[in-house]
């Protein structure tokens, strides 16, 4: 059985004061739901105080990005060794990074290797655009992203993958549970071709894209879908707790 996993990607929202408030508002509610891995991904500048606030709970933190070099003349970048100790996870290859900051599969693969070498666990994001979807090229795109992202990386059950169709992110137009499950099954098979089916069956694969408390059940009830990467709805304490609560209940068969 794969342990359910719900991560909140806060993106470029909240200053430090707001981040502290948000964590205080969700901490107790989240802390009770210990059958699910709960991961908060605030902006870099709030990771340190977020760590202080979640100390003593099993709520984990993640960064939203990272550069692949350890240190040096890379003005404005944050390295894996800076993140080590501040968070357990790091989101890599989010479509906003791929599209707006021109990150390629090659760069994302460098980041994956650097994260793992530093002891961070990547949440590798992938997904097709609307045009690719409409042209029937979803699987082709995803197999490139799996092969590119995991190239030359040893089989690893602890990494997490998030399938996030670009057309569903921040649009209010989520995929259906059935669609997402079918694509995630394909991603798992592709991971299986590289890493063997035993490892692929253990890797958690999430759905992301307009997940809310109103639609989480549709995704989480699918056996292929192990959780969600939640953007907008993770900025609302009550809704995010509700998403985790429903996930815990559904995966426990309640
Ligand atoms: P959304 O974002 O839930 O706001 O659509 C998801 C994501 O980009 O991770």
């Amino acid at each position: 059985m794969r342990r359910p996993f719900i991560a909140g990607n806060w993106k470029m929202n909240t200053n430090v004061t707001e981040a502290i408030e948000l964590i205080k508002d969700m901490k107790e509610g989240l802390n009770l739901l210990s059958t699910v891995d709960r991961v908060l991904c605030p902006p870099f500048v709030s990771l340190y105080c977020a760590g202080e606030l979640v100390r003593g709970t099993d709520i984990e933190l993640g960064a939203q990005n990272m550069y692949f070099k350890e240190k040096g003349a890379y003005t404005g970048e944050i390295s894996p060794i800076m993140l080590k100790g501040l968070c357990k996870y790091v989101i890599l290859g989010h479509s906003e990074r791929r599209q707006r900051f021109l990150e390629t599969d090659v760069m994302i693969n460098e980041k994956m290797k650097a994260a793992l070498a530093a002891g961070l666990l990547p949440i590798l994001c992938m997904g097709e655009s609307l045009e690719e979807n409409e042209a029937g090229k979803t699987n082709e795109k995803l197999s490139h992203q799996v092969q590119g992202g995991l190239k030359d990386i040893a089989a690893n059950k602890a990494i997490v993958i998030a399938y996030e169709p670009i057309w569903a992110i921040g649009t209010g137009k989520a995929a259906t549970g059935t669609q997402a499950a079918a694509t995630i099954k394909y991603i798992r098979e592709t991971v299986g071709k590289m890493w063997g089916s035993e490892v692929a069956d253990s890797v958690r694969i999430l759905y992301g894209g307009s997940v809310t408390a109103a639609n989480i059940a549709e995704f989480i009830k699918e056996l292929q879908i192990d959780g969600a990467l939640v953007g907008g709805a993770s900025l609302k304490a009550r809704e995010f707790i509700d998403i985790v609560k429903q996930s815990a209940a559904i995966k426990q068969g309640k």
Side-chain angles (χ1 to χ4, degrees):
M1 263 305 272
R2 296 181 293 265
R3 192 175 147 84
F5 189 106
I6 304 284
N9 174 11
W10 295 10
K11 308 193 180 183
M12 198 176 70
N13 296 294
T14 68
N15 61 23
V16 174
T17 313
E18 290 162 342
I20 292 173
E21 277 307 301
L22 188 51
I23 293 176
K24 283 186 177 163
D25 287 348
M26 47 176 76
K27 180 177 158 177
E28 267 179 48
L30 288 181
N31 200 23
L32 298 171
L33 300 164
S34 58
T35 58
V36 175
D37 279 349
R38 295 135 293 158
V39 181
L40 305 178
C41 306
F44 288 132
V45 293
S46 295
L47 274 175
Y48 179 80
C49 40
E52 298 291 305
L53 287 169
V54 300
R55 183 173 303 177
T57 72
D58 61 354
I59 299 167
E60 300 286 356
L61 299 177
Q64 299 174 17
N65 179 34
M66 182 201 84
Y67 196 52
F68 52 84
K69 297 281 189 183
E70 280 200 351
K71 60 180 170 184
Y74 304 99
T75 303
E77 292 298 313
I78 298 289
S79 85
I81 55 174
M82 292 173 188
L83 293 178
K84 196 173 162 59
L86 282 182
C87 57
K88 178 171 178 178
Y89 295 94
V90 56
I91 298 173
L92 295 177
H94 192 281
S95 62
E96 287 152 17
R97 304 282 332 161
R98 294 178 190 260
Q99 290 194 309
R100 292 179 182 268
F101 303 96
L102 310 180
E103 289 192 12
T104 62
D105 283 322
V106 172
M107 287 161 73
I108 293 159
N109 180 244
E110 291 291 334
K111 293 184 177 199
M112 290 284 295
K113 289 179 194 158
L116 289 164
L120 296 163
L121 292 176
I123 302 173
L124 171 64
C125 300
M126 55 186 68
E128 82 288 1
S129 66
L130 184 61
E131 301 76 65
E132 288 159 343
N133 183 286
E134 285 173 347
K137 295 199 160 145
T138 298
N139 288 358
E140 189 185 321
K141 177 66 177 283
L142 289 164
S143 63
H144 275 127
Q145 289 181 323
V146 171
Q147 284 161 12
L150 302 183
K151 188 166 184 276
D152 300 330
I153 293 176
N156 190 329
K157 293 180 180 174
I159 71 142
V160 177
I161 292 175
Y163 166 56
E164 300 202 302
I166 297 170
W167 45 270
I169 296 178
T171 56
K173 219 183 107 196
T176 66
T178 326
Q179 265 174 347
T183 308
I184 285 175
K185 182 166 183 284
Y186 178 79
I187 293 174
R188 198 178 294 289
E189 285 163 2
T190 311
V191 174
K193 282 185 196 148
M194 297 179 78
W195 284 357
S197 61
E198 199 219 319
V199 174
D201 284 342
S202 301
V203 167
R204 269 112 28 115
I205 309 185
L206 321 176
Y207 167 75
S210 297
V211 170
T212 63
N215 66 18
I216 182 68
E218 176 177 350
F219 299 104
I220 216 76
K221 69 174 198 221
E222 297 285 344
L223 286 179
Q224 279 291 337
I225 307 182
D226 302 312
L229 182 55
V230 185
S234 72
L235 294 165
K236 300 175 197 150
R238 244 187 296 149
E239 180 161 13
F240 189 64
I241 294 167
D242 191 12
I243 289 171
V244 177
K245 195 180 279 178
Q246 291 186 50
S247 304
I250 293 169
K251 288 296 189 199
Q252 283 174 308
K254 286 182 193 156

